[in-house]
Amino acid sequence: MADLRTDFVGIKSPNPFWLASAPPTDKEYNVRRAFEAGWGGVVWKTLGSEGPPVVNVNGPRYGAIWGADRRLLGLNNIELITDRPLEVNLREMKTIKRDFPDRALIASIMVPCEEEAWRAILPHVEDTGADGIELNFGCPHGMSERGMGAAVGQVPEYIEMVTRWCKQYTRMPVIVKLTPNITDIRYPARAAHAGGADAVSLINTISSITSVNLDDFSPEPSIDGKGSHGGYCGPAVKPIALNMVAEIARDAETRGLPISGIGGVTTWRDAAEFIALGCGNVQVCTAAMTYGFKIVQEMISGLSNYMDQKGYAGIEDFRGRAVPNVTDWQYLNLNYVTKARINQDDCIKCGRCYAACEDTSHQAISMSEDRVFDVIDEECVACNLCVNVCPVENCITMERLPAGTVDPRTGRTVSDTPSNWTEHPNNPSNVAAE
Amino acid sequence: MTASQHQSGIQPARLDPDTLAQNFDDVQPPLDGHEAAVAADRCYFCHDAPCITACPTDIDIPLFIRQIATGTPDAAARTIFEQNILGGMCARVCPTEQLCEEACVREAAEGKPVEIGRLQRFATDTLMARGDHPFTRAEPTGKTIAVIGAGPAGLACAHRLAMHGHDVVIHDARPKPGGLNEYGIAAYKTVANFAQAEVDWLMKIGGITLEHNSALGRDITLEALQSGYDAVFLGIGLGGVNALGLEGDDKSGVRPATDFIAELRQADDLTTVPVGRHVVVIGGGMTAIDAGVQSKLLGAQDVTIVYRRGKSAMSASGHEQDHAAQNGVRILHNAAPVKLHGNGKIDAVEFAYTEATEQGLTLSEETFTLPADQVFTAIGQTLATDAGLTLERGKIAVTGAGRTSLSDVWAGGDCATGGDDLTVTAVAEGRDAAEDIHATLMKGA
Ligand SMILES: Cc1cc2nc3c(=O)[nH]c(=O)nc-3n(C[C@H](O)[C@H](O)[C@H](O)COP(=O)(O)OP(=O)(O)OC[C@H]3O[C@@H](n4cnc5c(N)ncnc54)[C@H](O)[C@@H]3O)c2cc1C
Ligand SMILES: Cc1cc2nc3c(=O)[nH]c(=O)nc-3n(C[C@H](O)[C@H](O)[C@H](O)COP(=O)(O)O)c2cc1C
Ligand code: SF4
């Protein structure tokens, strides 16, 4: 059996599955049940300063996007940070840490962007026995209007400044949670790194409006006829999160900075992908909110099953394996030539590949009177669209043309020497020696 | 040469070998990977799921289905086997329409439950096809337990005991293990000798010895077992059958349905199994349905199941009744046999109509007669040996996890009180008795 234990910036947990800071981690009752169900750690719902807590709307907080059969694909929320008093949260955190010493307990914090505010809260958090803190620079709604959350996360200088304060005023490891609502994720990551962060976690939610009611013209979720943008999360955001994680993992300045991967983790496979891109663990919110805490059992069994099959004894054995394979477009091998191949035995003759290619791609699929679909190699640019629209898995595949064969589309012989855009004759800044 | 379906008497080879092979093929073929993915996708992963409650072995169904959905059928199989080591057989034979699938919330919502049974088969077949056994034994305890009967109850009990580190000796009266999995279940539910393959796979846990042709009451006594072993588990099923109790029920051509089914299950070549032209089956349970359907599939010209009460009182599920109807078997309700006609050899059965009254069933004056050159009785099975234990309504009386009137003897499955007479119930009872035996033997250890 694979060993799923992780040591993330010195924080140990029995498995890499943490619950992200959100409603599932808002109180002792939830966290206790989460740990009983098997979660390796939790990032407590974001704490604010002492004093009267924030208030939430009293109408709906969520909007959603569904796939067929009402599968929840994306969730949008307009919830704020914890609306329970700081003392209550701290007291409960302490109890939890006492009762579950082997699990990771992280305090997420969001206080005004003033040194005093951070200095004031840190000793209280330290008191709970929490293993670390996460700085919430991500929340894109509500809190950002008050100069916190994403309003900080969008200004790298602020990130660096606050991170530095925290490193100064606490011995606890500092994880900086990044907002994806920014054009280039490397800048805030570099800022966190420069400020001395032990790790970054990402992504927080993406600003979004999930839908508009076409009767009363209110965005959803509608609060008395009005709506406000919310934060988008769930399976739909995973590709965005993976890319941002990869950008940080391969950036010269931040390479090696520990990353906690968040965004759409729903199955063991999602988690493994984040880990392959360098994450030391993953955090989960929407999947738990959709299916309940028990969902972690599949994540645990699936990940250990995968690792056993691959012969990985521990998480470190495959962590970051995909990072060297993430590259810039310009370095992709242009001598890698493929063609679509349709398996006639599997084909159910729906014609979707034909419609896609004929109408929107390269007219590279032929259709006979009796609905036989074939690829025209002379036209196929190997875009893969037919594969993606085909309802039958593996019916259409992309097959590589072996070196030495002639690509009927270009008339050129396929070379076995990789060659990329930097060396291409059409590239005006071609640097390769001809 | 094939005999025609119209030839009278009890004849083998009424159908050609190809038709027979087709008729006895897998009644519900396995799902392929894509079908399983689509079927698994329909599960809602319900909280405190009603399907789990409905499963006598409490398999965590939403979890195993999610494990299939996420591409880990091995993990799914493990989830199943942890609760039910005969999950492979149960996937084939459980009346899911009365168990998990009846409870599925999609059954309530759409009348179309998640195909739990077929998904279970997909997962268990995947793991078993590779032949490796997913469990290992705990440190040896030095205790040895006798398990009597290698049916589902005995096998489940033996496996769980072996997992806990005990040694187990199974005694079975028959030449082959499996109990009714091997000798009773309809052939088309468990094709390709699955019952024996499953026992072989189960035995890979180690620590279990099987003694064939060793019958309690004939070759061994309970006293000897009690003194020779640390504990005894009885999973001897119901070896006897109820007789019709009518004059002439010893006529040739009249036999218990279970005997016919066992003969069919043991036949290497279906063309050698003889069946009547006009077959009458008396009874209303799973055995009656299986005898009727398999007679028809062997080539009987007409098969009629006659049950003395109404449709809803039949213990065979609606699904099974439909299955019989689809195969051309006629089911008559509210009629009971009153006379068996024929000169030495059965040639017709006379029935009276019944009516349920306060005093029980009453018979009408009016009768009707069905031609029959073969009659199968399927009106219930009985305990063949009580081994000196306290009985209750004809079964070994048990309390809790299979505790009998003797402190070192446990019992479970069909032979014991409690639960339906189903494979899955036998597995649950065998497993739970094993846990209780383990707890009892290890007390203070
Ligand atoms: C025709 C038929 C069809 C059925 N179809 C289904 C179905 O589709 N689905 C379903 O869930 N259930 C079905 N059942 C019911 C199911 O088969 C039983 O509930 C189940 O097999 C009970 O398991 P068991 O271990 O208690 O007993 P059995 O399976 O009867 O096993 C008992 C074992 O004990 C052995 N034994 C008996 N007496 C002695 C003795 N004195 N000494 C030593 N060994 C002994 C026997 O040889 C046998 O191996 C069917 C039953 C019949 C008869
Ligand atoms: C209702 C809700 C409330 C959230 N509240 C917080 C919060 O207080 N602090 C925080 O750092 N992130 C918060 N998040 C963001 C999540 O922690 C997480 O980053 C995001 O949902 C992406 O992960 P997911 O796709 O697994 O849901 C919240 C998300 C949701 C849905
Ligand atoms: S989940 Fe439903 S019942 Fe529970 S608080 Fe939200 S709206 Fe109310």
Side-chain angles (χ1 to χ4, degrees):
Chain A
M1 272 288 271
D3 181 356
L4 296 190
R5 283 178 301 173
T6 55
D7 181 338
F8 185 74
V9 297
I11 305 167
K12 296 191 168 53
S13 59
N15 61 56
F17 302 106
W18 291 6
L19 282 168
S21 175
T25 63
D26 194 21
K27 50 172 114 65
E28 179 184 341
Y29 176 81
N30 294 8
V31 173
R32 189 171 287 282
R33 292 177 66 247
F35 281 159
E36 281 161 4
W39 291 90
V42 302
V43 183
W44 203 274
K45 172 76 183 169
T46 304
L47 308 171
S49 296
E50 238 168 324
V54 303
V55 296
N56 271 300
V57 292
N58 298 303
R61 296 178 196 184
Y62 304 118
I65 296 290
W66 296 274
D69 209 10
R70 263 184 88 81
R71 164 146 316 200
L72 193 132
L73 299 178
L75 187 70
N76 158 295
N77 85 87
I78 55 168
E79 180 179 282
L80 304 183
I81 62 173
T82 184
D83 53 14
R84 304 178 334 129
L86 178 64
E87 317 77 73
V88 175
N89 279 307
L90 293 173
R91 190 176 347 111
E92 293 183 0
M93 286 167 67
K94 195 168 190 162
T95 314
I96 285 288
K97 190 62 209 177
R98 184 196 64 205
D99 292 353
F100 297 91
D102 67 322
R103 311 300 170 95
L105 176 69
I106 313 298
S108 168
I109 310 175
M110 183 197 288
V111 293
C113 209
E114 298 151 10
E115 187 166 0
E116 194 36 48
W118 290 91
R119 201 215 321 243
I121 196 168
L122 291 172
H124 297 301
V125 171
E126 214 161 273
D127 237 21
T128 63
D131 300 296
I133 57 172
E134 187 179 80
L135 315 187
N136 179 350
F137 295 152
C139 188
H141 48 265
M143 301 313 292
S144 53
E145 295 168 16
R146 304 173 200 185
M148 292 182 266
V152 178
Q154 285 162 342
V155 185
E157 294 73 23
Y158 290 174
I159 295 181
E160 184 176 339
M161 177 177 74
V162 178
T163 308
R164 216 179 279 291
W165 293 336
C166 292
K167 282 308 289 179
Q168 191 180 337
Y169 296 122
T170 178
R171 54 166 179 75
M172 293 181 286
V174 175
I175 304 167
V176 175
K177 184 166 180 178
L178 303 179
T179 175
N181 299 304
I182 187 154
T183 38
D184 189 338
I185 196 69
R186 290 173 301 180
Y187 290 92
R190 288 171 188 159
H193 191 41
D198 295 277
V200 289
S201 57
L202 69 162
I203 57 174
N204 208 310
T205 55
I206 303 172
S207 296
S208 65
I209 292 175
T210 37
S211 55
V212 175
N213 185 313
L214 292 180
D215 295 321
D216 67 10
F217 295 100
S218 169
E220 311 267 17
S222 171
I223 308 289
D224 199 17
K226 298 242 184 300
S228 168
H229 79 264
Y232 200 44
C233 52
V237 310
K238 188 187 98 176
I240 297 161
L242 283 180
N243 175 54
M244 291 187 165
V245 163
E247 287 297 286
I248 295 171
R250 72 191 187 97
D251 180 53
E253 271 185 55
T254 52
R255 186 170 299 152
L257 178 66
I259 306 173
S260 180
I262 318 172
V265 174
T266 312
T267 70
W268 71 268
R269 187 178 287 277
D270 303 323
E273 289 173 13
F274 274 97
I275 294 168
L277 282 175
C279 295
N281 68 12
V282 294
Q283 298 185 28
V284 178
C285 169
T286 306
M289 291 182 72
T290 312
Y291 301 107
F293 290 143
K294 192 178 133 174
I295 199 76
V296 74
Q297 291 175 15
E298 177 280 325
M299 297 182 186
I300 291 172
S301 76
L303 186 64
S304 67
N305 190 77
Y306 163 76
M307 289 169 62
D308 287 346
Q309 271 172 14
K310 294 285 184 184
Y312 301 139
I315 300 287
E316 288 303 313
D317 288 1
F318 74 104
R319 191 175 69 80
R321 284 260 189 134
V323 177
N325 295 329
V326 184
T327 185
D328 293 342
W329 192 97
Q330 60 180 335
Y331 301 121
L332 298 175
N333 180 10
L334 296 172
N335 284 342
Y336 176 74
V337 183
T338 63
K339 297 285 171 192
R341 293 283 171 258
I342 301 174
N343 181 335
Q344 299 298 342
D345 294 338
D346 290 345
C347 176
I348 58 173
K349 307 202 183 305
C350 65
R352 285 174 66 167
C353 58
Y354 181 82
C357 192
E358 190 69 11
D359 292 1
T360 71
S361 289
H362 296 82
Q363 297 75 45
I365 293 179
S366 65
M367 174 178 171
S368 72
E369 292 266 305
D370 53 348
R371 299 184 72 82
V372 174
F373 299 92
D374 267 316
V375 175
I376 307 162
D377 283 1
E378 285 74 11
E379 304 298 335
C380 176
V381 301
C383 72
N384 202 34
L385 180 65
C386 52
V387 173
N388 291 318
V389 301
C390 176
V392 180
E393 204 180 339
N394 295 326
C395 173
I396 311 182
T397 47
M398 301 304 297
E399 306 292 340
R400 185 175 193 169
L401 291 189
T405 49
V406 174
D407 176 354
R409 183 175 68 89
T410 58
R412 277 201 288 274
T413 305
V414 177
S415 161
D416 54 2
T417 321
S419 174
N420 61 44
W421 174 245
T422 61
E423 303 148 351
H424 199 275
N426 291 14
N427 182 352
S429 52
N430 177 1
V431 290
E434 284 288 316
Chain B
M1 229 354 258
T2 53
S4 114
Q5 284 189 269
H6 311 300
Q7 213 165 345
S8 294
I10 303 175
Q11 304 278 356
R14 287 184 181 274
L15 298 172
D16 62 82
D18 286 348
T19 310
L20 282 175
Q22 213 174 341
N23 284 357
F24 284 88
D25 200 7
D26 218 336
V27 66
Q28 197 162 42
L31 297 172
D32 66 24
H34 178 72
E35 289 169 324
V38 173
D41 204 51
R42 294 184 66 236
C43 174
Y44 287 139
F45 201 73
C46 297
H47 175 70
D48 192 7
C51 53
I52 305 181
T53 314
C55 170
T57 53
D58 297 303
I59 293 173
D60 192 338
I61 294 161
L63 178 60
F64 96 66
I65 293 182
R66 196 164 177 88
Q67 288 167 322
I68 292 175
T70 58
T72 56
D74 285 354
R78 207 190 151 90
T79 300
I80 296 161
F81 290 135
E82 270 165 10
Q83 288 298 106
N84 180 336
I85 197 65
L86 296 185
M89 183 60 81
C90 288
R92 290 161 165 78
V93 308
C94 273
T96 50
E97 67 283 356
Q98 293 176 315
L99 302 169
C100 51
E101 291 179 18
E102 182 178 58
C104 177
V105 300
R106 294 197 88 137
E107 168 64 28
E110 303 155 30
K112 197 170 177 294
V114 174
E115 290 183 284
I116 299 169
R118 297 183 82 191
L119 285 166
Q120 178 167 323
R121 176 164 174 192
F122 176 79
T124 52
D125 279 4
T126 305
L127 191 145
M128 289 172 80
R130 276 209 319 277
D132 43 336
H133 191 88
F135 302 109
T136 50
R137 295 184 70 194
E139 288 299 301
T141 61
K143 312 264 185 209
T144 308
I145 294 111
V147 167
I148 315 306
L155 289 169
C157 181
H159 184 271
R160 185 54 64 101
L161 289 169
M163 263 178 79
H164 282 308
H166 306 292
D167 287 327
V168 182
V169 180
I170 308 184
H171 296 267
D172 197 288
R174 300 250 205 183
K176 284 194 207 169
L180 290 171
N181 287 356
E182 174 61 34
Y183 294 95
I185 298 289
Y188 45 75
K189 288 186 189 173
T190 167
V191 298
N193 206 14
F194 181 76
Q196 290 310 303
E198 184 177 46
V199 174
D200 292 345
W201 170 86
L202 178 147
M203 298 291 275
K204 285 189 186 164
I205 183 75
I208 307 174
T209 351
L210 194 60
E211 307 262 351
H212 309 282
N213 299 315
S214 172
L216 176 69
R218 185 185 73 199
D219 311 304
I220 37 174
T221 64
L222 189 55
E223 294 73 40
L225 292 170
Q226 283 175 281
S227 59
Y229 295 92
D230 295 295
V232 181
F233 174 81
L234 300 180
I236 53 176
L238 299 171
V241 288
N242 286 322
L244 281 179
L246 290 177
E247 201 183 317
D249 63 10
D250 57 349
K251 283 190 204 306
S252 90
V254 181
R255 71 191 291 210
T258 47
D259 286 0
F260 163 68
I261 292 168
E263 178 189 337
L264 180 105
R265 282 294 308 274
Q266 295 309 305
D268 290 328
D269 177 0
L270 288 171
T271 61
T272 64
V273 183
V275 71
R277 177 185 183 189
H278 308 291
V279 174
V280 168
V281 184
I282 297 166
M286 201 127 56
T287 308
I289 299 277
D290 286 0
V293 171
Q294 292 180 107
S295 303
K296 188 73 189 156
L297 296 177
L298 275 178
Q301 183 185 322
D302 54 74
V303 178
T304 312
I305 294 173
V306 187
Y307 179 53
R308 62 193 174 128
R309 295 181 194 275
K311 184 175 164 64
S312 58
M314 284 182 84
S315 63
S317 70
H319 171 84
E320 284 168 278
Q321 296 179 43
D322 289 348
H323 180 66
Q326 275 161 19
N327 281 283
V329 173
R330 183 165 65 136
I331 304 179
L332 294 181
H333 299 106
N334 301 310
V338 289
K339 202 160 174 197
L340 298 164
H341 295 276
N343 186 6
K345 216 160 62 179
I346 187 81
D347 62 28
V349 188
E350 191 175 334
F351 291 90
Y353 294 105
T354 64
E355 202 178 329
T357 66
E358 303 258 294
Q359 290 75 42
L361 285 183
T362 58
L363 299 180
S364 64
E365 291 291 310
E366 188 195 345
T367 63
F368 64 94
T369 301
L370 295 178
D373 35 31
Q374 192 166 33
V375 173
F376 295 127
T377 56
I379 54 170
Q381 287 135 261
T382 57
L383 194 61
T385 168
D386 64 15
L389 293 162
T390 306
L391 301 187
E392 196 181 310
R393 280 173 285 113
K395 290 191 169 197
I396 299 171
V398 292
T399 54
R403 295 183 176 205
T404 68
S405 52
L406 296 176
S407 66
D408 53 353
V409 180
W410 280 256
D414 286 0
C415 69
T417 53
D420 294 323
D421 287 350
L422 293 174
T423 309
V424 65
T425 312
V427 172
E429 291 171 2
R431 175 199 70 191
D432 294 348
E435 291 294 349
D436 197 42
I437 293 170
H438 173 67
T440 307
L441 293 186
M442 302 313 283
K443 208 175 286 167

Short mmCIF file of all heavy atoms in Angstrom, two decimals, chain B residues 12 16 32 40 93 118 160 168 172 186 207-208 234 249-250 331 346 354 362 365 374 391:
data_model
loop_
_atom_site.label_atom_id
_atom_site.label_comp_id
_atom_site.label_asym_id
_atom_site.label_seq_id
_atom_site.Cartn_x
_atom_site.Cartn_y
_atom_site.Cartn_z
N PRO B 12 -34.10 -36.25 -23.62
CA PRO B 12 -32.98 -35.32 -23.75
C PRO B 12 -32.94 -34.72 -25.16
O PRO B 12 -33.69 -35.17 -26.04
CB PRO B 12 -31.75 -36.20 -23.53
CG PRO B 12 -32.18 -37.56 -23.98
CD PRO B 12 -33.67 -37.66 -23.77
N ASP B 16 -31.30 -28.36 -30.49
CA ASP B 16 -29.94 -28.62 -30.96
C ASP B 16 -28.94 -27.92 -30.05
O ASP B 16 -29.28 -26.97 -29.34
CB ASP B 16 -29.78 -28.16 -32.41
CG ASP B 16 -29.99 -26.68 -32.53
OD1 ASP B 16 -29.03 -25.94 -32.27
OD2 ASP B 16 -31.14 -26.27 -32.84
N ASP B 32 -19.48 -3.45 -20.54
CA ASP B 32 -18.11 -3.14 -20.92
C ASP B 32 -17.72 -1.82 -20.24
O ASP B 32 -18.53 -1.20 -19.55
CB ASP B 32 -17.94 -3.10 -22.45
CG ASP B 32 -18.70 -1.97 -23.11
OD1 ASP B 32 -18.97 -0.95 -22.42
OD2 ASP B 32 -19.02 -2.08 -24.30
N ALA B 40 -22.31 4.17 -14.05
CA ALA B 40 -21.79 4.68 -12.77
C ALA B 40 -22.07 6.17 -12.63
O ALA B 40 -22.33 6.67 -11.53
CB ALA B 40 -20.29 4.42 -12.67
N VAL B 93 -26.67 -13.00 -8.83
CA VAL B 93 -27.89 -13.69 -8.41
C VAL B 93 -28.81 -12.89 -7.49
O VAL B 93 -29.94 -13.30 -7.26
CB VAL B 93 -27.56 -15.04 -7.74
CG1 VAL B 93 -26.65 -15.87 -8.63
CG2 VAL B 93 -26.94 -14.86 -6.37
N ARG B 118 -25.17 -4.87 -11.87
CA ARG B 118 -24.26 -5.02 -13.01
C ARG B 118 -22.96 -4.27 -12.78
O ARG B 118 -21.90 -4.69 -13.23
CB ARG B 118 -24.94 -4.54 -14.30
CG ARG B 118 -26.17 -5.38 -14.65
CD ARG B 118 -26.79 -4.93 -15.95
NE ARG B 118 -26.08 -5.50 -17.09
CZ ARG B 118 -26.27 -5.09 -18.35
NH1 ARG B 118 -27.10 -4.11 -18.61
NH2 ARG B 118 -25.62 -5.66 -19.33
N ARG B 160 -13.80 -14.99 6.58
CA ARG B 160 -13.60 -13.95 7.59
C ARG B 160 -12.77 -14.48 8.77
O ARG B 160 -11.89 -13.80 9.28
CB ARG B 160 -14.97 -13.42 8.05
CG ARG B 160 -14.92 -12.24 9.00
CD ARG B 160 -14.10 -11.09 8.46
NE ARG B 160 -14.63 -10.49 7.25
CZ ARG B 160 -15.33 -9.34 7.22
NH1 ARG B 160 -15.57 -8.69 8.33
NH2 ARG B 160 -15.75 -8.85 6.06
N VAL B 168 -9.28 -22.88 9.58
CA VAL B 168 -10.66 -23.32 9.37
C VAL B 168 -10.66 -24.65 8.62
O VAL B 168 -9.89 -24.83 7.66
CB VAL B 168 -11.45 -22.28 8.54
CG1 VAL B 168 -12.89 -22.72 8.36
CG2 VAL B 168 -11.38 -20.89 9.17
N ASP B 172 -18.08 -30.60 3.97
CA ASP B 172 -19.29 -30.52 3.16
C ASP B 172 -19.70 -31.91 2.68
O ASP B 172 -18.86 -32.72 2.30
CB ASP B 172 -19.12 -29.58 1.97
CG ASP B 172 -20.48 -29.17 1.38
OD1 ASP B 172 -21.15 -30.03 0.74
OD2 ASP B 172 -20.88 -28.02 1.60
N ALA B 186 -29.81 -20.74 -10.98
CA ALA B 186 -30.08 -20.98 -12.40
C ALA B 186 -28.79 -20.88 -13.22
O ALA B 186 -27.97 -20.00 -13.00
CB ALA B 186 -31.09 -19.97 -12.91
N GLY B 207 -5.30 -20.86 4.84
CA GLY B 207 -5.76 -21.24 6.17
C GLY B 207 -7.08 -21.99 6.20
O GLY B 207 -7.60 -22.31 7.27
N ILE B 208 -7.64 -22.26 5.02
CA ILE B 208 -8.92 -22.99 4.98
C ILE B 208 -8.70 -24.35 4.31
O ILE B 208 -8.16 -24.40 3.20
CB ILE B 208 -10.00 -22.21 4.18
CG1 ILE B 208 -10.14 -20.79 4.71
CG2 ILE B 208 -11.33 -22.95 4.21
CD1 ILE B 208 -11.08 -19.91 3.88
N LEU B 234 -22.40 -23.79 11.66
CA LEU B 234 -23.23 -24.62 10.78
C LEU B 234 -23.86 -23.77 9.68
O LEU B 234 -24.60 -22.83 9.96
CB LEU B 234 -24.35 -25.30 11.58
CG LEU B 234 -23.92 -26.23 12.72
CD1 LEU B 234 -25.16 -26.80 13.41
CD2 LEU B 234 -23.04 -27.35 12.21
N ASP B 249 -47.84 -39.19 -5.41
CA ASP B 249 -46.69 -38.32 -5.67
C ASP B 249 -45.39 -39.12 -5.79
O ASP B 249 -44.32 -38.55 -5.93
CB ASP B 249 -46.60 -37.15 -4.67
CG ASP B 249 -46.39 -37.59 -3.24
OD1 ASP B 249 -46.14 -38.80 -3.03
OD2 ASP B 249 -46.47 -36.72 -2.35
N ASP B 250 -45.52 -40.44 -5.75
CA ASP B 250 -44.33 -41.25 -6.03
C ASP B 250 -44.31 -41.75 -7.47
O ASP B 250 -43.47 -42.54 -7.87
CB ASP B 250 -44.28 -42.44 -5.06
CG ASP B 250 -45.54 -43.29 -5.13
OD1 ASP B 250 -46.53 -42.83 -5.77
OD2 ASP B 250 -45.55 -44.40 -4.56
N ILE B 331 -47.76 -18.80 -15.87
CA ILE B 331 -47.93 -18.91 -14.41
C ILE B 331 -49.43 -18.83 -14.10
O ILE B 331 -50.10 -17.88 -14.48
CB ILE B 331 -47.19 -17.77 -13.66
CG1 ILE B 331 -45.70 -17.77 -14.02
CG2 ILE B 331 -47.37 -17.93 -12.15
CD1 ILE B 331 -44.89 -16.67 -13.36
N ILE B 346 -46.52 -40.37 -14.46
CA ILE B 346 -47.42 -39.22 -14.41
C ILE B 346 -47.87 -38.86 -15.82
O ILE B 346 -47.08 -38.90 -16.76
CB ILE B 346 -46.73 -38.01 -13.73
CG1 ILE B 346 -47.70 -36.84 -13.51
CG2 ILE B 346 -45.55 -37.50 -14.54
CD1 ILE B 346 -48.54 -37.01 -12.29
N THR B 354 -58.34 -22.14 -5.61
CA THR B 354 -58.29 -21.87 -4.17
C THR B 354 -58.88 -20.50 -3.88
O THR B 354 -58.96 -19.64 -4.76
CB THR B 354 -56.84 -21.86 -3.65
OG1 THR B 354 -56.15 -20.78 -4.28
CG2 THR B 354 -56.13 -23.16 -3.94
N THR B 362 -59.28 -22.40 0.91
CA THR B 362 -60.27 -23.43 0.65
C THR B 362 -60.22 -23.80 -0.83
O THR B 362 -59.83 -22.99 -1.66
CB THR B 362 -61.69 -22.95 0.99
OG1 THR B 362 -61.94 -21.77 0.20
CG2 THR B 362 -61.83 -22.59 2.46
N GLU B 365 -64.90 -26.78 -5.69
CA GLU B 365 -65.39 -28.08 -6.19
C GLU B 365 -64.89 -28.31 -7.60
O GLU B 365 -64.48 -29.39 -7.97
CB GLU B 365 -66.93 -28.08 -6.22
CG GLU B 365 -67.58 -28.07 -4.86
CD GLU B 365 -67.35 -29.38 -4.14
OE1 GLU B 365 -67.59 -30.45 -4.73
OE2 GLU B 365 -66.87 -29.33 -2.97
N GLN B 374 -43.99 -34.43 -16.92
CA GLN B 374 -43.01 -34.21 -15.86
C GLN B 374 -43.57 -33.17 -14.88
O GLN B 374 -44.13 -32.15 -15.31
CB GLN B 374 -41.68 -33.72 -16.45
CG GLN B 374 -40.55 -33.77 -15.45
CD GLN B 374 -39.18 -33.62 -16.12
OE1 GLN B 374 -39.03 -32.93 -17.11
NE2 GLN B 374 -38.18 -34.30 -15.57
N LEU B 391 -34.70 -25.84 17.74
CA LEU B 391 -35.24 -25.36 16.47
C LEU B 391 -36.36 -24.35 16.71
O LEU B 391 -36.95 -24.30 17.79
CB LEU B 391 -35.77 -26.51 15.63
CG LEU B 391 -34.81 -27.62 15.25
CD1 LEU B 391 -35.47 -28.59 14.28
CD2 LEU B 391 -33.52 -27.07 14.66
#
